[in-house]
Amino acid sequence: SVHKDNQQTVFNIGGGIYWNHGDLFSIVSKVTHISKNNIVTSETGYNTYGQSQMVYPIIYDINTLGWTTDVLTSPFKNFNMHFLLTLQKPQYKNYSYSLWGTTYDYSNNIIPELSKVLMEIDPSFYIFNRDVRLWISMRYFGKQYGNPTNVFTYNGWWENFGGIDYHANRNLDLKLQVVNFLNQSGVKGALVGGDQITDDSPYIGRKIVAGFIRPRTIELTANFKF
């Protein structure tokens, strides 16, 4: 059983600067350190005979050091731009356990599904007396790791959206949106059953189970107000 004193604690400290210059631009830049301690989990592993063994409790920590810069700008009438850049290092700390005589140590590894580099670019432009809004939204996710041992990696990718918003009248708004207009493809997310995989070479050319990037999709939405 888990000792009653193993309470999770979160430590968050940060600081930064901001600079506003009317509608022309607004910049906020901040450095943040976040740690979370005494996280409780379990792990299950199988031997060559298919027998299972579970370890519980496993108590570990996570630690993240990040730098974020957020920019809002309106350099000319009816045009807006949002830009966000995040550099971070989300890591496991004090995370190790043994199954069937093998010790797995994730300490200092990057947490799966999290990128070291994140970026957002969101330009928009109003036309026709601001009744129509043209917009694009781009989200960049840098290289990710597919499992805690960090032997599986996924290339960075862009999540991209674009569309036209039309304010027809006070009762009707129309929105045409294209998801993944760049037609990006690839894998993301944690690899199912990959916690104890320490060598990716046997899996080359084999199918694995994880998430996937959403395919190109066209959506039309109508919002009615009565």
Side-chain angles (χ1 to χ4, degrees):
S1 61
V2 181
H3 194 275
K4 66 179 181 178
D5 292 333
N6 286 330
Q7 298 180 354
Q8 289 188 11
T9 58
V10 177
F11 179 73
N12 186 338
I13 186 172
I17 59 173
Y18 69 90
W19 184 18
N20 294 328
H21 190 73
D23 292 334
L24 186 59
F25 64 80
S26 172
I27 301 174
V28 178
S29 189
K30 182 179 180 181
V31 175
T32 304
H33 175 270
I34 303 173
S35 62
K36 188 174 184 180
N37 301 323
N38 296 329
I39 303 169
V40 181
T41 190
S42 65
E43 291 284 351
T44 301
Y46 297 84
N47 62 12
T48 55
Y49 302 102
Q51 298 171 313
S52 66
Q53 183 181 57
M54 186 181 75
V55 179
Y56 178 84
I58 301 171
I59 301 172
Y60 68 96
D61 311 321
I62 59 176
N63 183 84
T64 302
L65 179 65
W67 174 40
T68 298
T69 298
D70 198 342
V71 181
L72 293 171
T73 180
S74 298
F76 52 87
K77 185 178 180 180
N78 293 327
F79 177 79
N80 298 294
M81 169 71 81
H82 170 243
F83 175 78
L84 176 67
L85 174 65
T86 299
L87 306 177
Q88 61 181 4
K89 195 172 184 180
Q91 294 177 294
Y92 289 120
K93 296 292 183 181
N94 306 313
Y95 194 165
S96 65
Y97 62 94
S98 295
L99 281 171
W100 299 108
T102 301
T103 298
Y104 301 92
D105 191 348
Y106 305 154
S107 300
N108 299 319
N109 286 0
I110 302 299
I111 300 172
E113 301 186 71
L114 298 180
S115 302
K116 291 183 180 180
V117 179
L118 300 170
M119 192 168 7
E120 299 180 13
I121 304 174
D122 305 299
S124 63
F125 185 64
Y126 288 93
I127 58 176
F128 299 124
N129 199 30
R130 298 183 68 87
D131 286 334
V132 176
R133 176 175 175 260
L134 311 176
W135 61 273
I136 294 175
S137 182
M138 309 281 289
R139 302 287 187 271
Y140 176 73
F141 298 83
K143 181 178 73 173
Q144 290 187 356
Y145 293 91
N147 67 336
T149 59
N150 284 182
V151 297
F152 288 94
T153 60
Y154 308 139
N155 294 331
W157 77 93
W158 287 93
E159 285 190 354
N160 50 94
F161 310 84
I164 302 173
D165 298 346
Y166 174 45
H167 179 66
N169 51 55
R170 66 179 184 177
N171 302 114
L172 175 63
D173 290 305
L174 300 175
K175 181 176 181 179
L176 176 66
Q177 175 177 290
V178 181
V179 178
N180 193 9
F181 60 82
L182 294 178
N183 202 27
Q184 296 274 284
S185 62
V187 182
K188 65 178 182 177
L191 174 65
V192 176
D195 286 10
Q196 285 93 47
I197 298 176
T198 56
D199 180 13
D200 65 344
S201 57
Y203 295 86
I204 296 175
R206 294 174 55 184
K207 293 181 179 180
I208 59 176
V209 179
F212 64 92
I213 298 172
R214 187 175 174 183
R216 181 184 290 159
T217 308
I218 300 175
E219 301 173 349
L220 177 62
T221 304
N223 292 321
F224 298 93
K225 298 178 182 178
F226 299 98

